[in-house]
Amino acid sequence: MAETSKATGIFDEEQHIMNNSFKEQAYTLIKDAIIYQRFREDAIYSQEGICQELGISRTPVREALLELQQEGYVYFCRGKGIKIVPLDTKVVHDILEMRLYTEQTSAYLAGQRATEIDLRRMKTSLDEIENNLVTKDGVLLYHLDHKFHRELAMAAHNSWLLQSVEKILDNYLRFEVKTVYNNSIDAKVVLGEHRDIYEAVKIHNSEKAKQAAERHLRNSYNRTLSKYWNVK
């Protein structure tokens, strides 16, 4: 049964108000709390508690929540608050399947189209991951991990593909258990798989890049998400 919460302690202490609109701030912070699982699936949270913790007034918070409702992250429970939408096994499997094929396409097209700027961005992301492995900070490392995947999609130079990849990556974080970077051996294996993709893109070998992306994602699913991926 869902529990009602005032959302105390949901948002990271380091997060603070930026210069963009209050609605955009609220949207970003609430969505981040959902995709990094600081909000519990199926739990109900009061709008008042969220407003108090963010230090943002009710109107922009409500506008942000309405947008998140349209995107399938939350829905309004009349008289109770906001419920975090759970993802069932079939939806999770569908997301995994879509990610597998969209990212293979990203890698293939990046192998044809990546510029020197794209390659520098991807290389910088990989170096950032390597430099931060010692922290074992799951949230930071997954943020950097997905930054690399977004930059791979950017290197494909197809705006519709990039939008699809970004949406899939955000929803992927809603159920990813985020344990791989807790283990230094597994973390280095993941980094090596990322580098294989990068090296193939760097030499503009589209087929090799596609194969490296497929191998990386299938390995990732088997490492931490086999209970979803192996469902028939």
Side-chain angles (χ1 to χ4, degrees), residues 96-105 145-146 149 152 169 172 193-194 197 210-225 229:
L96 293 176
E97 191 170 69
M98 278 295 293
R99 184 179 181 194
L100 179 65
Y101 293 107
T102 54
E103 293 217 33
Q104 285 183 70
T105 302
D145 181 308
H146 283 206
H149 284 278
L152 176 65
L169 286 173
Y172 180 87
E193 291 171 359
H194 285 154
I197 299 170
K210 178 182 175 182
Q211 292 171 0
E214 179 182 10
R215 183 167 57 252
H216 166 55
L217 289 176
R218 288 189 183 277
N219 288 344
S220 294
Y221 298 171
N222 289 328
R223 274 189 290 263
T224 60
L225 295 166
W229 183 238

Side-chain angles (χ1 to χ4, degrees), residues 12 16 31 37-38 41 47 62 68 86 89-91 94 99 101 104 107 115 135 139 146 151 163 187 191 197:
D12 284 349
H16 54 85
K31 182 178 178 180
Q37 301 173 36
R38 292 190 290 274
E41 280 193 352
Q47 290 186 65
R62 182 172 178 81
L68 288 164
T89 300
K90 177 62 167 61
V91 171
D94 288 350
R99 184 179 181 194
Y101 293 107
Q104 285 183 70
T115 66
T135 69
V139 172
H146 283 206
E151 285 165 352
Q163 290 175 39
L191 178 60
I197 299 170

Side-chain angles (χ1 to χ4, degrees), residues 32-56:
D32 189 69
I34 294 170
I35 65 177
Y36 282 103
Q37 301 173 36
R38 292 190 290 274
F39 276 130
R40 300 187 308 280
E41 280 193 352
D42 240 1
I44 297 175
Y45 296 88
S46 72
Q47 290 186 65
E48 292 75 13
I50 294 173
C51 291
Q52 289 174 10
E53 190 160 346
L54 290 179
I56 300 177

